[in-house]
Amino acid sequence: MHVGRLLTREASVLERRELKLIRVVDVHKTYLLGEIELSVLKGISLQIARAELVALMGSSGSGKTTLMNILGCLDRPTSGQYWLDGEDVSRLSADQRAVIRNRKMGFVFQNFNLLPRTSALENVMMPLSYSHEHVSEREARRRATSMLERVGLGSRLDHEPSQLSGGQQQRVAIARALINNPSLLFADEPTGNLDSVTSREILSMFRQLNREQGLTIVLVTHDPEVARHAQRTIHISDGSIQDGLRPASAQPYLPGLKGPSEVCA
Amino acid sequence: MKSYRVLRTAFKAIRRNIMRSILTTLGIMIGISAVITMMEIGKGSSSAIQRTISSMGANTLMILPGTASSGGVTFGSGSVMTLTPQDAEAILKEPTVRAAAPVVRARTQVIYRDRNWVPMYIYGTTYDFLEVRDWTDLSDGVVFTEEDVRTGNTVCLVGQTLVRELFRGESPLGKTLRVNNVTFKVIGVLSKKGGNMMGMDQDDILVAPWTAIKFRVSRSTMGSINQSSSSAQDSDVSNGLYPGSRTSLYPVPAENQTTSRPNPVRFTNVDQILVSARSAENVSASISQITELLRQRHRIQAGEPDDFVIRDMTEMTNALTSTSRLMTNLLLGVALISLVVGGVGIMNIMLVSVTERTREIGVRMSVGARGRDILRQFLAEAVVLCLAGGAIGIMIGRGGSYLVRLLLNWPTEISIPAIIAAVVVSVGVGIVFGYYPAWKASRLDPIDALRYE
């Protein structure tokens, strides 16, 4: 009786295995500083599967931010291919990339980057105004409210960023990143401006999102402590990937970390 | 992105920094309010100037009888008598005519006690004469009435020069003077008007009912004084004045009537008709209406020349229009300068705002805003700012012009075109001067924008 279901499951597993969410082949990025060519990425190839929590690690100047910009469709590679969800996005125009970012990606930044003097709710609603599906005002409000409730800020909808702590601001930023139901979340040093306790809360929230919703997360960091939370770490040094894959099993379970639900309560 | 969302975002952005927004739009506010106030004051003074020039006679028309000719000899304008007091009454019914007065002229000696004087003008007319000449405010006494005109009462108004020359400063009211041996009672004194454009003393005047001048004064003198009257004697009623009007114009009065009343049974003509158009713009319309009317009344066939001449004050009308055009252009120039200044202010602050909000632009781009979304947002902000500034400016301007009218007693007039122009211009300024900053914002690279400190 479960044959059909088994088959579909197998098919989906197969498909997932075949079609990685991110596939990057030999990506170069070169900047022109006057006459001098500055090569920042020197032939990066990597794959990230769906529902993976990957850390992109490297010291400053290693090119990890440049790589994240390319992966996040904020920038285009000088050469090489980048398939996102089976679609070659390495040659898209700025407007097309904006649409991809809106539909498929969310960003969390080190300095939160919330709109100042704007309520948490409005901040979370903001991406919906650029969305292609037309979301009514009421629907947008409802979705933003439930998103803020999920990150544990249901009681602070009308607070402005200046009235929120760092951790709360970052949670607003996460809610904003998730409002369009992206399949991919980029976090650029998400804990860089937070104390260690809050950092752990935020990181465990990422883990929970990854585990419970199958959200693919790319954590960009220079901090090994942060990278430890990932299933896999990609080390970047001087524009190339240092070591290959680290088996998912090597990822140790971190006891003593509270889940976000407990934290937020 | 829907337009209402764009507007909402713009409003939010403006509210987020309300102080700066107000300061930004202050330029536009001041500009527009200055424009509105100037336009209202300008329009008020322009119409005040127009009224003044009109009182000098810019919208006055002078209708004179046409020329008579005999055997190729023309006698000049006024040498035929074709105008009647009834013509004046009919002209008054035309819609563009404010006043029409028949005028009978005489030139003879005026005597008061032991002094005598020959006024430059002795005018027999109606009350409308003072209307036409904008001379209704007497310095003393009253104006003669319709009744006086109808019965030919020998009452008169005298000008300041006559007061000086004949009465030597004493009040002429109630005094009697003799005009060609007809006694006239002075019932009013005209206010001082001074010389006219040709330097003729306009105060050297005696104004009386035209019936009195025509039938009492001119009777004995017109043969020598008035050319039109002399020709009148030649072409009497018996000839018939107009083709087709063979019957006499008036019923033949009884014997005792003729002796008891000075009213002669004959065609009554006047020397000219003074007409005042409702406004200087109406002058040309009045001319064509009066021409039409008089041709009809005088039974002039199509193709035949008019038997009258209409003169207008072209020179003055030109002065009037050029004055008001100059005024308008001047105001336009001032308005333009203040609005450009306001616009530059908007551009300046918008550029600062773009720099200041670079991070915000980066965030918006990272969540999927395209260049044109950013462009639209900043443009909408600039336009909303300018429009709000314009609206407040209009209100301040209206208030300002109201205050000017209240405190300085300057004439102001509401100018609807100025308000419409103000709205259009403030939106235009918003678009023109908001475009560059908005374009600059839309061209930002999201990576640089996000990293901007």
Side-chain angles (χ1 to χ4, degrees):
Chain A
M1 68 178 233
H2 296 301
V3 177
R5 208 203 262 168
L6 270 172
L7 271 176
T8 40
R9 187 187 286 172
E10 212 143 66
S12 72
V13 166
L14 252 172
E15 196 184 304
R16 276 186 169 192
R17 204 172 287 154
E18 287 302 304
L19 201 70
K20 300 279 188 184
L21 183 62
I22 290 178
R23 192 153 75 87
V24 172
V25 179
D26 194 28
V27 156
H28 289 259
K29 183 70 190 180
T30 311
Y31 289 108
L32 265 179
L33 291 176
E35 297 287 295
I36 312 150
E37 281 195 359
L38 186 68
S39 195
V40 181
L41 295 182
K42 301 160 181 167
I44 300 265
S45 298
L46 61 83
Q47 295 192 347
I48 295 171
R50 282 170 205 280
E52 222 181 339
L53 175 53
V54 178
L56 210 57
M57 234 189 103
S59 54
S60 74
S62 61
K64 62 178 192 299
T65 309
T66 308
L67 180 58
M68 190 209 81
N69 286 342
I70 289 174
L71 293 180
C73 284
L74 290 164
D75 206 351
R76 273 198 297 207
T78 314
S79 71
Q81 269 84 52
Y82 170 21
W83 279 278
L84 176 73
D85 221 358
E87 183 187 356
D88 186 3
V89 294
S90 46
R91 295 286 169 265
L92 292 182
S93 74
D95 279 3
Q96 289 166 320
R97 277 184 280 131
V99 173
I100 297 272
R101 286 200 296 273
N102 186 258
R103 281 193 193 152
K104 298 191 172 169
M105 293 172 186
F107 291 88
V108 175
F109 303 97
Q110 177 174 2
N111 41 27
F112 324 131
N113 274 337
L114 298 177
L115 302 186
R117 275 157 295 188
T118 306
S119 73
L121 190 69
E122 298 277 0
N123 259 298
V124 175
M125 279 164 66
M126 190 261 282
L128 288 174
S129 58
Y130 302 108
S131 149
H132 274 251
E133 43 164 337
H134 286 298
V135 186
S136 73
E137 183 70 20
R138 180 190 280 183
E139 170 69 6
R141 211 164 266 279
R142 196 190 58 73
R143 267 164 73 173
T145 309
S146 76
M147 200 52 79
L148 278 168
E149 278 163 0
R150 264 171 65 189
V151 298
L153 288 174
S155 57
R156 289 188 162 71
L157 299 179
D158 295 324
H159 286 52
E160 291 176 1
S162 57
Q163 299 165 307
L164 296 169
S165 72
Q168 286 168 333
Q169 288 189 49
Q170 195 61 298
R171 274 188 268 163
V172 174
I174 292 169
R176 181 181 65 192
L178 298 177
I179 189 82
N180 268 328
N181 289 320
S183 44
L184 187 54
L185 182 74
F186 290 97
D188 187 7
E189 303 277 8
T191 58
N193 283 5
L194 301 174
D195 61 63
S196 55
V197 177
T198 323
S199 294
R200 255 178 278 149
E201 287 170 19
I202 295 295
L203 286 170
S204 58
M205 182 179 286
F206 282 140
R207 280 156 51 82
Q208 193 198 15
L209 284 167
N210 171 251
R211 199 169 55 234
E212 290 177 2
Q213 289 172 40
L215 185 71
T216 313
I217 298 174
V218 177
L219 271 176
V220 180
T221 183
H222 66 276
D223 185 358
E225 273 300 307
V226 175
R228 262 178 49 217
H229 289 256
Q231 295 157 3
R232 175 162 76 102
T233 304
I234 299 168
H235 287 274
I236 298 195
S237 174
D238 199 22
S240 6
I241 291 175
Q242 280 297 304
D243 52 0
L245 305 171
R246 218 163 107 195
S249 55
Q251 167 66 34
Y253 176 64
L254 298 168
L257 264 184
K258 292 174 188 169
S261 51
E262 296 165 62
V263 173
C264 303
Chain B
M1 206 167 165
K2 280 184 196 161
S3 46
Y4 87 92
R5 273 254 168 78
V6 176
L7 278 182
R8 230 176 56 113
T9 315
F11 272 115
K12 264 187 229 155
I14 288 165
R15 253 211 335 254
R16 226 162 62 197
N17 215 329
I18 190 74
M19 192 61 198
R20 194 182 59 195
S21 304
I22 290 171
L23 287 176
T24 307
T25 193
L26 204 60
I28 296 291
M29 242 186 263
I30 293 170
I32 294 284
S33 63
V35 169
I36 296 285
T37 313
M38 295 288 270
M39 286 302 262
E40 300 204 344
I41 293 174
K43 211 173 159 216
S45 12
S46 167
S47 34
I49 290 172
Q50 280 195 25
R51 270 197 297 278
T52 310
I53 296 181
S54 298
S55 81
M56 289 164 66
N59 47 8
T60 302
L61 297 174
M62 197 183 281
I63 304 169
L64 298 165
T67 174
S69 63
S70 166
V73 181
T74 55
F75 299 110
S77 118
S79 55
V80 69
M81 45 160 239
T82 54
L83 296 175
T84 66
Q86 288 74 31
D87 283 340
E89 277 164 35
I91 286 168
L92 192 54
K93 293 197 181 93
E94 292 295 325
T96 55
V97 171
R98 186 167 59 91
V103 174
V104 176
R105 280 174 306 172
R107 187 164 171 83
T108 183
Q109 200 178 43
V110 176
I111 299 164
Y112 172 67
R113 291 196 186 151
D114 57 341
R115 287 187 281 274
N116 68 77
W117 184 252
V118 180
M120 193 170 300
Y121 311 103
I122 297 176
Y123 275 1
T125 182
T126 63
Y127 172 77
D128 264 14
F129 173 77
L130 301 179
E131 269 308 330
V132 172
R133 300 296 305 274
D134 198 35
W135 215 349
T136 47
D137 49 334
L138 298 185
S139 78
D140 209 353
V142 291
V143 188
F144 51 81
T145 59
E146 285 280 312
E147 177 73 23
D148 291 328
V149 173
R150 218 165 347 170
T151 54
N153 280 350
T154 50
V155 290
C156 69
L157 310 173
V158 291
Q160 293 290 339
T161 306
L162 256 78
V163 174
R164 195 179 65 233
E165 297 296 339
L166 285 178
F167 299 95
R168 303 279 155 109
E170 50 179 306
S171 170
L173 279 190
K175 308 279 166 47
T176 50
L177 38 72
R178 282 182 291 139
V179 182
N180 201 31
N181 283 331
V182 180
T183 53
F184 276 81
K185 187 177 169 197
V186 179
I187 58 165
V189 180
L190 295 165
S191 53
K192 193 166 175 58
K193 211 163 174 104
N196 70 2
M197 298 229 301
M198 310 300 295
M200 311 266 258
D201 183 7
Q202 298 179 87
D203 294 323
D204 195 2
I205 191 169
L206 185 145
V207 181
W210 69 268
T211 42
I213 299 292
K214 179 88 190 169
F215 303 128
R216 295 183 200 273
V217 177
S218 296
R219 272 186 88 187
S220 47
T221 60
M222 56 193 163
S224 56
I225 303 294
N226 200 318
Q227 208 185 6
S228 70
S229 306
S230 66
S231 64
Q233 278 158 352
D234 306 334
S235 56
D236 217 342
V237 169
S238 53
N239 299 343
L241 186 65
Y242 300 121
S245 64
R246 288 280 161 221
T247 52
S248 63
L249 284 166
Y250 295 95
V252 180
E255 195 81 56
N256 58 344
Q257 261 185 309
T258 3
T259 46
S260 64
R261 297 200 47 119
N263 203 357
V265 182
R266 53 163 224 184
F267 176 77
T268 315
N269 75 307
V270 294
D271 295 324
Q272 52 176 259
I273 297 174
L274 281 177
V275 176
S276 173
R278 288 205 182 276
S279 70
E281 293 92 65
N282 277 340
V283 166
S284 58
S286 296
I287 290 177
S288 57
Q289 282 175 6
I290 292 168
T291 307
E292 180 101 354
L293 176 81
L294 288 185
R295 283 184 72 91
Q296 195 186 336
R297 283 181 61 85
H298 296 181
R299 295 171 201 163
I300 297 168
Q301 306 290 322
E304 278 182 51
D306 296 342
D307 63 353
F308 55 90
V309 179
I310 301 178
R311 257 189 245 159
D312 65 347
M313 310 288 166
T314 316
E315 200 179 0
M316 270 192 190
T317 319
N318 287 349
L320 184 72
T321 45
S322 74
T323 306
S324 62
R325 194 178 307 138
L326 190 76
M327 196 95 175
T328 315
N329 288 350
L330 191 80
L331 290 170
L332 211 70
V334 173
L336 224 67
I337 289 168
S338 59
L339 281 170
V340 166
V341 171
V344 170
I346 290 263
M347 179 146 81
N348 203 346
I349 302 289
M350 288 305 286
L351 278 173
V352 171
S353 168
V354 166
T355 313
E356 197 191 82
R357 285 155 66 190
T358 302
R359 282 271 285 280
E360 177 190 328
I361 295 165
V363 173
R364 287 183 182 277
M365 284 180 157
S366 77
V367 301
R370 289 161 301 176
R372 56 170 167 256
D373 294 325
I374 301 292
L375 181 90
R376 228 178 300 171
Q377 184 194 331
F378 275 84
L379 212 50
E381 244 171 75
V383 170
V384 165
L385 265 184
C386 286
L387 206 55
I392 297 171
I394 288 169
M395 284 189 276
I396 293 176
R398 295 278 301 123
S401 78
Y402 178 75
L403 278 184
V404 161
R405 193 174 57 218
L406 208 70
L407 301 179
L408 300 179
N409 237 342
W410 288 6
T412 63
E413 251 172 60
I414 183 163
S415 167
I416 298 293
I419 289 175
I420 294 168
V423 172
V424 171
V425 163
S426 51
V427 172
V429 163
I431 290 173
V432 169
F433 290 96
Y435 192 84
Y436 175 64
W439 176 81
K440 233 186 128 188
S442 75
R443 296 288 304 224
L444 281 173
D445 183 35
I447 301 163
D448 296 338
L450 277 170
R451 226 180 289 151
Y452 185 86
E453 290 296 334

